[in-house]
Amino acid sequence: MTSKTLDYLSFDRASRRVSLDPREPRFVQNPYEAYAWLHAHSPAFFWEQFGMWCFGGYDDVNRLLRDRGLGRQSPVGIPDSRGLDQDRSHLAAFDAVEAHSMLELEPPAHTRLRTLVNRAFVSRQIERLRPRIEALANELIDRFPANAPFDLLPAYAAPLPITIIAEMLGVPVEMGPQLLDWSHRMVAMYMHGRTRETEDDANRAAGEFSDFLRGYAAERRRKPGDDLLSLLLSAQEDGQKLNEDELVSSTILLLNAGHEATVHQAGNAVRTILAQGGDPRRFFATPGATAAAVEECLRYDAPLHLFTRYVYADTELPRGVTVKAGQQISLLLGMANRDPAAFADASDFVPGRADQKTVSFGAGIHFCIGAPLARLELQVSLKTLFDRLPEIRLADEPAFRNTWHFHGLETLSVIG
Ligand code: HEM
């Protein structure tokens, strides 16, 4: 528990209002200091900069993620609230993608889409990808420069998940850089303080991405293969299929979600492991130890820190917070993972801890479809990296990108 005052955070006890600029560099570089303060003083608070109530207690976040009185879908039918009363005509292509994205929908539409996508996704039996992920990790390590510092993110953390998800979907792997570009430009829509330029660019990226997938799906329809896109085209549930718009949205969601978070979780995990000092191989000595190390990395420094929910009826939420229908609230996953009421020595990295759990993949009906794949990629890539390069060390102190709720490193310069 900390009672130290933070000069970049102000708090009004009576109203539980917090003023904290999410772009404040000290917060971006180490949000856990502010989280510890908030846990000690007010795990639920009204965050002025976002204009909404936020919850950071583990049990509250876990419960609210599962609460069916809340949801991701906007009650007024617009993909999201970002600019409800603004003209969104310049976002037509972006909104078209989001309108059919399971991540932005609630039952019954969500159930139907998720069942169809999940059927195709799990039928790929994630575990059988292990040898391919191992081979790819080794190939990438073979290409690391010898005795010179290099950035581990583009050399290892990014190409691994993007190659795997592109191969799974049956999208040409050479398209990797183009997919990354479209994805980054679309994800920029979720960053704090975006501009009209970002919106126009995200819309162009969504349009190009959709056109590419429509053409590609037409090819697959003519000549189906053993890939996820072909499976999605044929996936059926009670005689229902994905229509073309849903297919495009689902594929974009899998491609974007399939690497954005994993890249940054891998970078954060490498930084965490290196910060422990000593021989990193001790964390990966057995499959059980590797799985435990990855779970603790997911808890200790997650890549996604904030998700919002709409409230569908006037209600009282935990800790006496009352909200009205249509309002949004925020769930702070990164803060919940460090709750001292839920974890012994919450700020310590303790793989295999008795209270191991995490909300990094969410909970409830939107629980991450890709969690088994992300876990496998992280286990294989971290173990292979540290087994092959046990002497690897930081060449520079890494800095986080100035996007607090997408909590990932700008660069991760290492020397092997
Ligand atoms: C470490 C890596 C990852 C993290 C931390 C992560 C985190 C999350 C979280 C927190 C959610 C729920 C959001 C909410 O409740 O509002 C989610 C949903 C989702 N994730 Fe992941 N994810 C990761 C990797 C992946 C991968 C590899 C894929 C696919 C290949 C994927 C696909 C999805 C999809 C499709 C959803 C939407 C599920 C739904 O709405 O029902 N994710 N992810």
Side-chain angles (χ1 to χ4, degrees):
M1 297 261 275
T2 175
S3 57
K4 199 179 91 183
T5 317
L6 301 174
D7 59 14
Y8 53 87
L9 181 157
S10 68
F11 176 60
D12 178 65
R13 193 174 297 277
S15 61
R16 291 190 276 173
R17 288 176 88 90
V18 164
S19 175
L20 167 62
D21 181 350
R23 287 160 300 187
E24 156 60 43
R26 284 167 293 176
F27 179 59
V28 170
Q29 294 310 319
N30 177 19
Y32 300 107
E33 183 182 48
Y35 294 162
W37 193 94
L38 290 162
H39 276 305
H41 293 88
S42 195
F45 57 94
F46 187 87
W47 194 335
E48 284 181 356
Q49 280 77 358
F50 288 98
M52 56 178 96
W53 281 96
C54 298
F55 292 84
Y58 189 90
D59 289 343
D60 294 342
V61 169
N62 193 28
R63 191 196 126 185
L64 291 168
L65 282 167
R66 296 164 196 270
D67 188 332
R68 300 293 300 278
L70 310 171
R72 292 199 49 123
Q73 189 169 348
S74 158
V76 289
I78 295 173
D80 75 9
S81 71
R82 289 158 288 179
L84 271 183
D85 41 9
Q86 292 165 15
D87 173 16
R88 289 183 67 96
S89 51
H90 63 293
L91 288 171
F94 182 86
D95 284 351
V97 171
E98 296 235 315
H100 302 285
S101 165
M102 78 178 90
L103 188 53
E104 306 303 335
L105 296 169
E106 292 300 314
H110 172 268
T111 319
R112 192 181 138 262
L113 284 176
R114 182 158 170 131
T115 309
L116 285 164
V117 172
N118 212 19
R119 183 150 293 182
F121 201 76
V122 297
S123 75
R124 305 293 296 161
Q125 292 163 355
I126 298 308
E127 181 57 32
R128 79 177 199 200
L129 295 170
R130 185 182 287 276
R132 173 64 189 132
I133 301 173
E134 270 165 6
L136 182 58
N138 278 298
E139 269 167 48
L140 293 166
I141 294 173
D142 289 342
R143 282 187 241 141
F144 287 175
N147 305 321
F150 65 98
D151 185 351
L152 196 70
L153 296 182
Y156 195 61
L160 195 129
I162 187 73
T163 304
I164 297 296
I165 192 70
E167 285 180 356
M168 281 179 82
L169 277 157
V171 174
V173 170
E174 315 78 78
M175 293 281 299
Q178 176 64 75
L179 298 174
L180 281 174
D181 177 63
W182 283 329
S183 169
H184 291 331
R185 287 161 57 200
M186 287 182 71
V187 171
M189 282 292 281
Y190 304 101
M191 307 291 175
H192 188 71
R194 64 166 206 253
T195 60
R196 170 67 192 239
E197 227 177 8
T198 328
E199 296 187 348
D200 288 339
D201 197 42
N203 196 56
R204 269 194 303 276
E208 290 163 19
F209 208 162
S210 305
D211 288 347
F212 162 73
L213 286 173
R214 275 178 218 286
Y216 209 67
E219 243 178 69
R220 276 285 174 276
R221 208 171 269 127
R222 277 193 301 275
K223 238 176 62 189
D226 173 33
D227 53 58
L228 195 49
L229 202 57
S230 304
L231 277 169
L232 285 173
L233 280 164
S234 64
Q236 292 223 19
E237 173 73 10
D238 298 333
Q240 295 195 50
K241 295 180 82 152
L242 290 171
N243 68 34
E244 179 152 304
D245 290 340
E246 293 167 346
L247 180 90
V248 167
S249 293
S250 301
T251 310
I252 291 182
L253 176 63
L254 286 173
L255 279 165
N256 289 357
H259 72 277
E260 287 281 353
T262 317
V263 173
H264 293 293
Q265 179 63 78
N268 296 0
V270 169
R271 174 178 173 274
T272 299
I273 300 282
L274 292 179
Q276 309 311 309
D279 189 335
R281 286 174 296 189
R282 71 187 185 285
F283 295 117
F284 304 94
T286 61
T290 302
V294 165
E295 288 316 293
E296 183 64 346
C297 286
L298 282 159
R299 180 194 75 86
Y300 191 77
D301 204 13
L304 305 172
H305 281 210
L306 172 148
F307 283 95
T308 54
R309 289 292 187 265
Y310 287 99
V311 177
Y312 293 140
D314 295 2
T315 186
E316 183 170 331
L317 298 175
R319 298 182 195 269
V321 173
T322 50
V323 279
K324 292 216 172 314
Q327 267 183 278
Q328 279 188 295
I329 59 157
S330 283
L331 305 174
L332 304 180
L333 309 187
M335 178 169 158
N337 282 335
R338 295 284 194 104
D339 182 352
F343 301 97
D345 302 318
S347 314
D348 294 350
F349 180 74
V350 187
R353 51 169 58 247
D355 47 13
Q356 193 83 70
K357 55 189 181 252
T358 176
V359 282
S360 295
F361 289 118
I365 64 166
H366 290 285
F367 179 80
C368 179
I369 280 192
L373 175 62
R375 286 190 160 113
L376 181 65
E377 288 177 345
L378 290 162
Q379 290 170 11
V380 171
S381 64
L382 292 172
K383 178 174 172 53
T384 312
L385 178 74
F386 291 118
D387 275 357
R388 293 260 323 254
L389 301 174
E391 304 289 323
I392 192 169
R393 59 193 189 281
L394 294 177
D396 260 325
E397 196 44 48
F400 284 92
R401 303 179 300 165
N402 189 15
T403 51
W404 150 75
H405 68 285
F406 287 98
H407 179 67
L409 296 166
E410 192 73 60
T411 55
L412 181 53
S413 182
V414 293
I415 184 156

